[in-house]
Amino acid sequence: MISANKRHDELSRRALLTGGLSTGFVLAFHLPLRAAVNQPVQPPDATDGKFAPNAFIRIDEAGKVTLVMPQVEMGQGTYTSISMVLAEELDADWTKVAVLHAPPNDKLYGNPTFGLQVTGNSNSIRAWWKPLRTAGASARAMLVQAAAKQWQVEAANCTASKSEVTHTDSARKLSYGALAIAASSETPPKDVPLKDPKDFVYIGQPLKRLDTPDKTNGKAVYGIDTILPDMKFATVAACPVFGGKVGKVDDAAARKIAGVRKIVVLDDMVAVIGDHMWAAKKGLEALRIDWDEGPNARISSTDVWRDLRSASEKDGAVAKSVGDIAKGLSTNDKFEGTYELPFLAHAAMEPLNATVHVRPDACEIWTGTQIMTRVQSEAAKAAGLPVEKVIVNNHLLGGGFGRKLEPDMVVAAVRVAKQVDYPVKVVWTREEDTQHDVYRPVYRNNITATLVDGKVGAWKHKVTGSAVLARWLPPAFQKGIDIDAVDAAVDMPYDIANFHVEYVRAEPPAVPTGFWRGVGPNNNVFAVECAMDELARKAGKDPIEFRRAMLGSKPRALAALNLAAEKANWGEKLPLRVGRGVCLQPSFETFIATIVEAEVDPQGEVALRRVVSVVDTGIAVNPDTVKAQIEGGLIFGLTAALYGEITIDKGRVQQSNFHDYRMLRINETPKIEVHVVKSGEPPGGIGEAGTNAGPPALRNAIYAATGVALRRMPIDRSLIAAGKRA
């Protein structure tokens, strides 16, 4: 029997973003022609004397190929992988490729999935795979047409390779540089055929990253590196209580500090501007600020969890329902488990910063952001200027992890810079950054399941947590469903006849929530994979054998799981208190199977011994980047599993820096092996998949080693030592 909620059956993050939002919301991708003729608000570059067939490609008469990047580089290798996609179909000489970051312009550079110029959701390659290949192929065809006209031959008898066009019969050659001006007069062809993957020259190769040399020789410029003539430095303090305001400020001592230029008092924060960062920092420390803490000064983590757990008892909006869940759960032999994840901070290595110069008729910004056009529009509001009067210069990001999907740091810097007539670089201290973050939501998962013939016969999963999309992208919040919050819950890989997923929106009191690397799947993969291990034990099955039996419709997932088991020596005997744990997930259209091997001492301390990940991400544009992203994501996620938690007391975040918001240290990092499956499927997302894999695989390794079924992160060492279920 099909549930009455069949209309929700296909509701998923992917389905809605690529289908449900496209009508009247997501901008259909088009190849913007002659982008520089009808100038956008902020042109990417001067195109005089260059072949500029669309918004993404520039070729000058010297043959230099510049690729305009619609996505930002924050360590994930996007500049290189997107360049490879463009250069492949353009048949450019890789040694002559340069990268230029695109200006804010949703029309020209909006991500095809969201219709916004945004980098996130592990979709830079997924979203741009076909559009950028088309852009490259179209430009190549125009160059070939120009060469054929000069030679008075058929274009079909010409080929392109390494920035040259060759006439096959006569072996004549013309460089792209020599053809640049002539190609500019050609009409872009329609429906240019794209390369067969077997003919790829760059895609699939482990090419060296374009951003590495400058990052190693010190030439790379991050937002925090900005230096301008007459620039001053500022740092800020906001009320330590969520939503609090500035009361009284005694600045007498601060004004006496050498180098302090100005104290800026706003309604919700105070800034000190100085000749250098040290003066600004010492000046801020010297201020005596009485805060108006407001009504949130009584909020604690206890309140947050009480409210969340209470909300999780309510019925939720149905995200997906297949079969007859009531009948499937009617047996008395039910499994029930609740799984919880805490608030987490982003803790990017580069703290929040923005440099701003506000003039009466213009505002210019230098920063690193994942959401350029939103920064531009919000900065315009703060400056009281039309959006076309705001210029945003985006730089490399020293980590983003979703924090820089928010424009708040730039808005704050604009508000400070409005008080002076010179450029101001505003830098948040690590403490201010940590205690005024936009946090990964707390989540609670209620899972009920039954077993039939050693497999899951019925599965009910209720996800309770904040609806980030309701704030960040309201059209994506429909019929009470946050499609991010149920991602990887509605499309888990297992074959289950009676399947039901609900979502309960529960906003924490006062605490701001946002996207965190891994987004919704980092909660759902954890809950699903932990429950699967407990169900396997209940069924008397090996955890991998248990999963294998339910992967008949997901051959890619099954193949990844089998290879991971082989590479990790699954089943091989281990020493006492050493266990292996597995996680299987289909996040971001990537299938990844991960096995963690960990040792637990009698005091509950956990040592990571080895991690094996097998990744089927479809066509791996750059296999080295895929491996690096999985390695980094695993470390990010394992750090959270071992140490990560933001707690609240008296309306304040209790953690402040890396001493009490721990990172995994180099001596704690295990050997990590990543195996990339060769595939002809379209590329999936890779930047966040490793983050989601680490926590459940580690938890399951602890379960295997000790029999303790932890149900909350970070791991509770006292529970492990006592041998209790968490």
Side-chain angles (χ1 to χ4, degrees):
M1 138 177 197
I2 301 298
S3 162
N5 291 289
K6 182 180 178 181
R7 65 183 181 277
H8 293 290
D9 283 359
E10 298 306 319
L11 182 59
S12 70
R13 178 192 185 95
R14 222 166 22 245
L16 192 51
L17 288 179
T18 57
L21 288 181
S22 60
T23 303
F25 182 74
V26 173
L27 301 175
F29 176 79
H30 62 284
L31 213 55
L33 304 177
R34 308 293 192 269
V37 175
N38 183 16
Q39 291 282 11
V41 170
Q42 184 181 331
D45 59 344
T47 58
D48 292 345
K50 297 177 184 175
F51 174 49
N54 50 58
F56 308 101
I57 295 171
R58 308 283 182 265
I59 302 175
D60 65 20
E61 292 181 84
K64 180 182 178 182
V65 178
T66 300
L67 305 179
V68 183
M69 290 294 106
Q71 302 291 93
V72 304
E73 177 61 71
M74 49 188 168
Q76 78 279 40
T78 294
Y79 274 9
T80 304
S81 54
I82 283 185
S83 295
M84 290 172 68
V85 173
L86 270 166
E88 181 68 69
E89 295 289 352
L90 179 61
D91 276 316
D93 183 343
W94 184 250
T95 64
K96 295 180 180 179
V97 167
V99 172
L100 178 70
H101 189 77
N105 191 309
D106 283 339
K107 184 176 181 181
L108 296 182
Y109 303 109
N111 185 296
T113 299
F114 297 101
L116 300 170
Q117 191 176 349
V118 57
T119 302
N121 187 37
S122 295
N123 83 347
S124 290
I125 294 298
R126 286 190 294 155
W128 287 104
W129 172 245
K130 188 171 181 181
L132 291 184
R133 289 179 68 197
T134 301
S138 178
R140 180 192 68 222
M142 293 168 72
L143 289 157
V144 169
Q145 287 170 187
K149 280 186 179 179
Q150 286 196 32
W151 292 325
Q152 296 184 338
V153 299
E154 293 293 326
N157 293 328
C158 300
T159 60
S161 176
K162 292 186 177 179
S163 294
E164 284 187 332
V165 178
T166 301
H167 180 227
T168 305
D169 295 338
S170 66
R172 286 176 289 180
K173 295 179 184 290
L174 281 171
S175 71
Y176 282 3
L179 291 166
I181 301 302
S184 297
S185 301
E186 293 296 318
T187 301
K190 294 181 179 179
D191 302 322
V192 183
L194 303 180
K195 285 186 180 180
D196 188 304
K198 68 179 176 55
D199 297 322
F200 286 160
V201 175
Y202 300 132
I203 292 174
Q205 300 303 312
L207 300 186
K208 293 180 180 179
R209 283 176 52 160
L210 296 174
D211 55 332
T212 299
D214 283 354
K215 285 181 176 177
T216 54
N217 64 25
K219 292 181 180 179
V221 178
Y222 294 84
I224 204 167
D225 294 325
T226 301
I227 297 293
L228 302 172
D230 302 319
M231 184 184 80
K232 307 303 178 188
F233 296 75
T235 192
V236 300
C239 182
V241 174
F242 295 114
K245 301 293 183 181
V246 178
K248 295 180 180 179
V249 178
D250 181 350
D251 62 7
R255 291 184 181 280
K256 295 177 182 177
I257 293 175
V260 169
R261 291 282 179 169
K262 188 176 180 67
I263 289 90
V264 176
V265 180
L266 302 172
D267 62 335
D268 58 348
M269 68 177 178
V270 181
V272 176
I273 302 174
D275 291 333
H276 41 74
M277 184 62 184
W278 184 249
K281 185 175 184 295
K282 298 306 290 183
L284 193 68
E285 291 171 357
L287 292 176
R288 295 180 59 184
I289 307 173
D290 292 328
W291 298 103
D292 177 3
E293 296 184 351
N296 297 324
R298 294 183 296 275
I299 292 171
S300 69
S301 291
T302 300
D303 300 318
V304 171
W305 285 108
R306 182 196 62 228
D307 291 354
L308 183 70
R309 289 163 184 160
S310 176
S312 73
E313 299 304 315
K314 302 174 184 176
D315 291 335
V318 178
K320 185 173 183 178
S321 194
V322 177
D324 189 335
I325 192 63
K327 183 178 180 181
L329 294 178
S330 61
T331 174
N332 291 326
D333 188 23
K334 288 198 293 281
F335 165 84
E336 294 181 302
T338 57
Y339 303 89
E340 297 179 341
L341 291 179
F343 290 123
L344 290 175
H346 296 83
M349 188 57 64
E350 179 190 17
L352 299 183
N353 68 88
T355 300
V356 179
H357 192 186
V358 178
R359 302 181 182 88
D361 61 346
C363 174
E364 189 161 5
I365 297 161
W366 295 260
T367 192
T369 177
Q370 295 173 247
I371 182 77
M372 283 189 73
T373 49
R374 190 165 289 179
V375 160
Q376 185 185 42
S377 62
E378 293 300 312
K381 294 175 188 175
L385 293 167
V387 69
E388 62 268 17
K389 296 295 184 180
V390 177
I391 294 175
V392 181
N393 303 286
N394 209 19
H395 295 290
L396 298 172
L397 283 65
F401 312 130
R403 178 63 182 94
K404 291 165 187 172
L405 285 169
E406 307 291 343
D408 59 307
M409 70 290 293
V410 175
V411 170
V414 170
R415 294 173 64 207
V416 172
K418 280 179 68 176
Q419 311 303 313
V420 296
D421 58 4
Y422 43 76
V424 180
K425 179 193 290 188
V426 184
V427 179
W428 279 249
T429 63
R430 177 65 62 189
E431 290 77 11
E432 199 71 13
D433 190 344
T434 302
Q435 296 180 326
H436 294 87
D437 203 339
V438 180
Y439 302 94
R440 198 278 302 274
V442 289
Y443 287 108
R444 180 173 171 87
N445 302 268
N446 298 61
I447 293 177
T448 307
T450 57
L451 294 167
V452 177
D453 298 328
K455 302 177 185 178
V456 178
W459 175 276
K460 181 179 180 180
H461 183 180
K462 185 193 300 179
V463 181
T464 305
S466 178
V468 177
L469 278 176
R471 170 186 64 83
W472 196 90
L473 192 67
F477 184 75
Q478 299 178 8
K479 298 179 181 179
I481 302 291
D482 183 302
I483 54 176
D484 174 59
V486 297
D487 196 2
V490 294
D491 54 355
M492 57 186 280
Y494 306 108
D495 301 329
I496 301 174
N498 304 294
F499 182 84
H500 185 89
V501 178
E502 296 180 4
Y503 171 69
V504 176
R505 182 181 183 181
E507 300 298 338
V511 183
T513 58
F515 298 117
W516 186 88
R517 187 178 186 182
V519 288
N522 71 60
N523 168 63
N524 296 318
V525 172
F526 174 74
V528 168
E529 288 303 289
C530 290
M532 283 295 166
D533 253 44
E534 292 186 59
L535 283 161
R537 181 168 294 205
K538 183 178 176 68
K541 301 275 189 177
D542 172 85
I544 284 185
E545 288 297 336
F546 182 70
R547 288 169 170 82
R548 279 175 177 151
M550 297 183 290
L551 293 171
S553 65
K554 296 290 189 297
R556 293 173 67 190
L558 178 59
L561 182 64
N562 287 338
L563 186 56
E566 175 192 332
K567 296 295 184 182
N569 303 315
W570 186 270
E572 185 180 86
K573 189 174 181 180
L574 291 169
L576 189 66
R577 298 188 69 83
V578 176
R580 294 190 187 99
V582 62
C583 170
L584 179 67
Q585 57 168 311
S587 305
F588 314 108
E589 300 178 26
T590 286
F591 294 92
I592 171 172
T594 301
I595 294 172
V596 168
E597 186 177 299
E599 182 173 1
V600 185
D601 73 15
Q603 289 73 47
E605 288 297 331
V606 177
L608 300 170
R609 289 164 52 106
R610 184 187 181 202
V611 181
V612 175
S613 256
V614 172
V615 185
D616 180 351
T617 189
I619 294 173
V621 173
N622 188 324
D624 272 5
T625 298
V626 171
K627 290 180 180 179
Q629 281 299 287
I630 293 297
E631 290 166 353
L634 284 165
I635 292 171
F636 200 82
L638 289 167
T639 294
L642 288 167
Y643 308 116
E645 184 170 22
I646 290 293
T647 56
I648 314 296
D649 185 48
K650 296 179 180 178
R652 296 160 164 80
V653 170
Q654 294 180 284
Q655 292 70 31
S656 62
N657 208 319
F658 291 131
H659 71 288
D660 56 7
Y661 192 74
R662 278 280 311 272
M663 298 290 110
L664 195 65
R665 297 187 170 97
I666 193 168
N667 63 301
E668 299 171 311
T669 304
K671 178 183 179 182
I672 299 175
E673 304 166 31
V674 180
H675 303 273
V676 180
V677 174
K678 192 173 179 63
S679 171
E681 297 293 327
I686 206 66
E688 296 166 286
T691 299
N692 300 337
L698 172 60
R699 179 271 191 187
N700 289 339
I702 294 169
Y703 186 31
T706 66
V708 177
L710 296 172
R711 290 181 173 176
R712 191 179 189 279
M713 292 285 106
I715 65 170
D716 188 326
R717 290 156 178 81
S718 65
L719 287 171
I720 301 172
K724 296 178 180 178
R725 169 178 286 180

